Amino acid sequence: MKAPFLISLAALLAPPLLASEPVMFCERPLVAQLVAENTWIVEGVKEELSTSNCGHIGNQAFIATSNGVILIDSGSSPHFGEALKTLIAQHTSHPVRWVLNTHHHPDHFFGNTAFDKAQHLTLATTRDLMTRDTDALIDNVERLTGRSLERSSVALPEVIEAGDITLGSYPLTLYAMSGHSGGDLVIMDHTTGVLFMGDMGFYQRAAATAHTPGLQQWQEELHDLRTLNATIAVPGHGPSAPSATIIDQTIDYLEWLDQRLSDVASEGLGANHALAVELPDTFSTIALAEYEFTRSVMQLYPRYEARLLWGAPQ
């Protein structure tokens, strides 16, 4: 009767695989940075999708528990997912048992199939957006990165509800939000005080806004997250930092962008006038600030015109 217990205890105490050499992806080493006890972030480059980065622009994070690894977002391709799996194995002997996808953008869930033994989970709204947009997102990733993706290689997650959950014996709290993409899962780990924001948070990298239902809604949800008093936050893009630091920078940028678009639309001027402004010094050193500001004006400005000039509902 003691043999199974001894075997399981040995497995629990087994050390992670030794890192014999760096794990490479797209000619760059992948690095897992410890942000809290048994919790790591793998930071993507602060760039847009391109052939030079092969799509690794978003962050992943993982928590090593006694029952297996909880992975938060899986990256931009099955090939990246395989590299990520190798990296995780250098830090823990336990396999990835759960994958939580924060939203439907390809740099956050296209690596799912590399973790075919894990349970994949996300919000119902996020799953619906994945189902709706996956083919178009694959086309875009292929166009921008020059890498082919089979339609069958994208694994869609199961649906999970927001609230308190336990994965194995590890407790987490899930929050259903929508400010960034229309379906955003935010994860709070009360054990370590780490808040996994997905793309609800951007840090030292300008926010992408193409699928936001509204900048004001996004700001309101960020104010709600501030009340959680997390110690450290992991954003969807950019380095980890104190939670308030990431939330405040994201709010400040969204508030300025919302005000700029509102002011120009209220004057009856066109999108070119909205673009004709120097970014405040506060944002001038943030990666992709000019790029994302231009994209946001082109994507969002028609909504502001419709609402502020023609009285369309928000």
Side-chain angles (χ1 to χ4, degrees):
M1 294 295 292
K2 291 183 179 180
F5 171 76
L6 293 174
I7 292 172
S8 62
L9 180 60
L12 179 62
L13 298 177
L17 299 179
L18 295 178
S20 57
E21 59 183 30
V23 178
M24 304 295 290
F25 179 75
C26 203
E27 300 183 358
R28 304 184 194 194
L30 295 182
V31 177
Q33 305 167 44
L34 191 69
V35 296
E37 185 177 7
N38 297 320
T39 306
W40 291 264
I41 176 178
V42 182
E43 186 181 341
V45 295
K46 293 189 283 290
E47 301 170 359
E48 270 301 299
L49 290 170
S50 70
T51 56
S52 65
N53 58 46
C54 306
H56 183 219
I57 63 171
N59 294 343
Q60 302 78 44
F62 60 97
I63 306 167
T65 81
S66 59
N67 297 113
V69 173
I70 302 167
L71 175 63
I72 299 165
D73 287 334
S74 60
S76 59
S77 68
H79 181 56
F80 174 82
E82 292 293 343
L84 179 60
K85 185 191 295 185
T86 300
L87 180 67
I88 292 171
Q90 292 184 347
H91 295 273
T92 174
S93 61
H94 296 293
V96 174
R97 287 193 57 196
W98 302 276
V99 178
L100 297 173
N101 295 131
T102 60
H103 62 294
H104 78 292
H105 290 162
D107 50 316
H108 295 267
F109 86 97
F110 274 15
N112 279 8
T113 49
F115 304 94
D116 56 344
K117 301 293 192 269
Q119 183 180 19
H120 302 165
L121 302 166
T122 198
L123 300 171
T125 51
T126 305
R127 165 78 189 219
D128 290 344
L129 290 167
M130 289 173 173
T131 301
R132 185 193 72 183
D133 292 346
T134 290
D135 283 346
L137 293 171
I138 288 175
D139 289 341
N140 197 46
V141 169
E142 289 181 332
R143 180 168 53 250
L144 293 174
T145 67
R147 294 192 160 210
S148 297
L149 291 168
E150 293 183 10
R151 264 58 182 169
S152 61
S153 72
V154 177
L156 297 183
E158 302 170 31
V159 168
I160 192 168
E161 294 184 1
D164 294 331
I165 63 164
T166 302
L167 299 179
S169 59
Y170 200 86
L172 296 169
T173 302
L174 308 183
Y175 296 91
M177 299 193 164
S178 57
H180 168 67
S181 70
D184 297 287
L185 173 64
V186 174
I187 302 145
M188 181 68 201
D189 183 350
H190 293 285
T191 302
T192 58
V194 178
L195 180 67
F196 301 93
M197 298 183 67
D199 280 11
M200 285 293 294
F202 285 73
Y203 186 55
Q204 303 300 7
R205 195 267 195 213
T209 64
H211 293 136
T212 180
L215 298 181
Q216 293 180 7
Q217 177 178 332
W218 192 346
Q219 293 173 67
E220 290 169 3
E221 291 177 347
L222 286 171
H223 282 292
D224 291 339
L225 290 178
R226 186 189 269 140
T227 66
L228 298 179
N229 295 319
T231 305
I232 295 292
V234 174
H237 297 261
S240 60
S243 175
T245 301
I246 293 176
I247 290 172
D248 288 349
Q249 187 181 86
T250 308
I251 288 176
D252 287 347
Y253 177 76
L254 296 176
E255 186 176 54
W256 173 80
L257 177 61
D258 179 50
Q259 191 63 57
R260 175 64 184 171
L261 298 180
S262 296
D263 288 346
V264 176
S266 296
E267 294 176 17
L269 301 173
N272 286 341
H273 289 274
L275 289 168
V277 65
E278 289 188 12
L279 291 176
D281 291 341
T282 309
F283 310 128
S284 61
T285 59
I286 294 178
L288 298 179
E290 290 281 358
Y291 175 82
E292 289 294 358
F293 172 61
T294 301
R295 288 183 71 203
S296 292
V297 171
M298 304 311 293
Q299 292 159 349
L300 302 183
Y301 192 68
R303 300 190 208 173
Y304 284 77
E305 285 187 310
R307 176 168 57 89
L308 295 170
L309 292 183
W310 321 122
Q314 296 190 36

